Amino acid sequence: MDRFLSSYVHNVDSKGRVSVPSQFRQVIERRGIRELFAMRSLSQPAINVGGPEMMEHFEKQMEALDPFSDLYQEMALYAYGDGAYLKTDSEGRILMSDFIRSHTGIADRVTFVGLKDTFQLWEPDRFEAVRGALRDRLREKLTGNRGAPASIETPE
């Protein structure tokens, strides 16, 4: 396993902790990720989680900008001022802090969603609603209302 793949629903315990799925912990270990960073998604009620590569992505984009420009300032505020470190305990659990809960609506269950190099934290019902709408949009785009996907060939 070298990528964050699939989705998993886990319960939040009475202390507000949740176990990171073992499959995700394996990816974190295999990649040598020592620090997890969390940022609120700009477009969804989800938290983006990743290792140093996630932060490096934003920093590379920022390097191309004038550090006094509005866009640079906005990206810096988002990446540094609106982010947080996620610490895992010895049992692979993370704390569902107010930072996470206020943006996602997470209460007693969390959906972990793999996104190849990163993953997201979602409130399970919200994720299912978004996933259902996404499937409908993709089906429409791929099939053009003809039934079989237009851009995907089926083997004979």
Side-chain angles (χ1 to χ4, degrees):
M1 270 187 220
D2 63 346
R3 61 185 49 89
F4 297 105
L5 179 68
S6 198
S7 61
Y8 306 90
V9 178
H10 285 205
N11 292 323
V12 177
D13 71 14
S14 62
K15 294 181 180 179
R17 302 169 302 189
V18 64
S19 293
V20 175
S22 62
Q23 296 85 344
F24 286 13
R25 290 194 313 264
Q26 289 173 14
V27 174
I28 291 167
E29 184 178 323
R30 202 167 271 129
R31 290 183 177 189
I33 296 172
R34 296 199 189 298
E35 296 177 313
L36 288 176
F37 298 96
M39 291 187 275
R40 293 176 178 113
S41 170
L42 293 173
S43 60
Q44 301 163 326
I47 298 292
N48 297 313
V49 180
E53 298 85 12
M54 186 173 78
M55 291 300 291
E56 290 167 6
H57 170 78
F58 287 100
E59 291 168 343
K60 284 179 184 176
Q61 289 183 339
M62 290 167 58
E63 286 174 6
L65 301 172
D66 175 352
F68 299 103
S69 70
D70 288 343
L71 181 56
Y72 180 94
Q73 296 296 318
E74 290 167 355
M75 288 183 73
L77 178 63
Y78 173 66
Y80 304 120
D82 197 34
Y85 288 105
L86 289 184
K87 299 206 181 237
T88 56
D89 66 14
S90 60
E91 296 180 36
R93 297 174 298 198
I94 56 176
L95 181 66
M96 291 295 99
S97 64
D98 290 341
F99 168 80
I100 295 170
R101 290 176 186 262
S102 66
H103 185 69
T104 62
I106 290 171
D108 59 347
R109 297 180 315 136
V110 180
T111 298
F112 290 80
V113 180
L115 299 175
K116 186 183 174 202
D117 295 321
T118 61
F119 61 92
Q120 289 183 323
L121 305 175
W122 283 80
E123 190 283 324
D125 293 335
R126 285 183 173 177
F127 176 66
E128 287 305 321
V130 168
R131 179 163 52 180
L134 173 64
R135 284 179 178 161
D136 291 344
R137 283 194 310 273
L138 286 174
R139 186 178 306 110
E140 174 71 24
K141 287 178 182 181
L142 293 174
T143 64
N145 280 332
R146 291 188 307 269
S151 60
I152 300 174
E153 294 183 25
T154 54
E156 295 184 29

